[in-house]
Amino acid sequence: SSDTGIASVTSSGKVTSKKPGKCTIYAYVGNSRLSCTVTVTKKKATVSSGSTQLIAHRGAYYQAPENTIPSFQLAARQGYKAIECDVRETKDGALVISHDASLLRSCGIDALISNLTLKQIRQYRIISGNGIGKYPNLKIPTLEEYLKVCNQYKCTPVIEIKSPMSEKGIKKLYNTISGSVK
């Protein structure tokens, strides 16, 4: 922070407002220094830099299991303008949202997504993650379901391809994204 009397920043990146005023918050990524202007009014900080945008990584993973529809919806409702997800291709060419190559951590099943069909994956429920007790019967979402949430809330989709895709998978990814942009 350029003025810790207005807003301070912890080593983990948490910004705490102290008193009304303006200051610059700096973030360091590799050799690059990023900054944004913060205006504190009545002890509430707001970002005023037009080029700064926060991205919800795997949705609001701190409140709902990561990469799930509830996680994406919560992030959108909290005001994130962009939501990131991880995409993988199934055995039958479907595109699903999962950070991990295996269903072990999320569903308790030691099986690779790339070796399963979408129908097989849909048989399993997500059993772990933050707030899982509030979200029974969660399934691994498809890319189409994720994009539907982004369109509904007018959020920018940020899609990370987690593993190599077949040529068919790449075409499907392109066509799905192209068809969903409104």
Side-chain angles (χ1 to χ4, degrees):
S1 173
S2 64
D3 187 337
T4 57
I6 294 173
S8 63
V9 184
T10 67
S11 60
S12 64
K14 181 180 177 185
V15 177
T16 303
S17 58
K18 304 286 185 173
K19 67 178 185 181
K22 280 188 179 184
C23 66
T24 303
I25 303 294
Y26 299 100
Y28 297 89
V29 181
N31 293 328
S32 300
R33 183 174 88 164
L34 308 172
S35 65
C36 70
T37 303
V38 173
T39 303
V40 177
T41 58
K42 297 182 184 177
K43 287 200 161 198
K44 182 178 179 184
T46 59
V47 176
S48 60
S49 173
S51 64
T52 301
Q53 186 177 78
L54 299 177
I55 298 171
H57 185 69
R58 300 182 202 160
Y61 70 90
Y62 43 87
Q63 291 180 303
E66 66 182 39
N67 275 322
T68 62
I69 297 303
S71 181
F72 301 140
Q73 291 170 330
L74 282 167
R77 288 183 196 132
Q78 290 170 11
Y80 286 92
K81 299 299 180 200
I83 302 172
E84 183 266 354
C85 76
D86 302 306
V87 175
R88 293 185 178 276
E89 184 178 10
T90 65
K91 182 178 179 179
D92 59 345
L95 300 175
V96 296
I97 308 299
S98 177
H99 175 75
D100 298 346
S102 166
L103 295 178
L104 187 58
R105 182 170 62 103
S106 60
C107 299
I109 305 299
D110 192 11
L112 295 175
I113 289 171
S114 60
N115 291 339
L116 300 171
T117 65
L118 178 61
K119 184 176 180 178
Q120 289 170 318
I121 290 169
R122 292 298 207 166
Q123 294 176 23
Y124 305 116
R125 299 293 179 260
I126 296 172
I127 60 168
S128 67
N130 291 324
I132 190 64
K134 296 178 186 176
Y135 306 101
N137 299 316
L138 279 181
K139 297 179 184 178
I140 301 288
T142 64
L143 178 62
E144 291 90 348
E145 291 166 336
Y146 158 78
L147 291 170
K148 185 176 178 182
V149 172
C150 290
N151 280 331
Q152 177 185 357
Y153 291 95
K154 298 177 177 40
C155 292
T156 301
V158 178
I159 300 168
E160 181 178 343
I161 300 169
K162 293 304 287 185
S163 59
M165 285 190 177
S166 67
E167 186 175 332
K168 183 180 175 183
I170 292 168
K171 286 179 182 176
K172 181 169 183 155
L173 176 68
Y174 175 79
N175 290 333
T176 302
I177 293 168
S178 298
S180 76
V181 176
K182 304 241 187 263

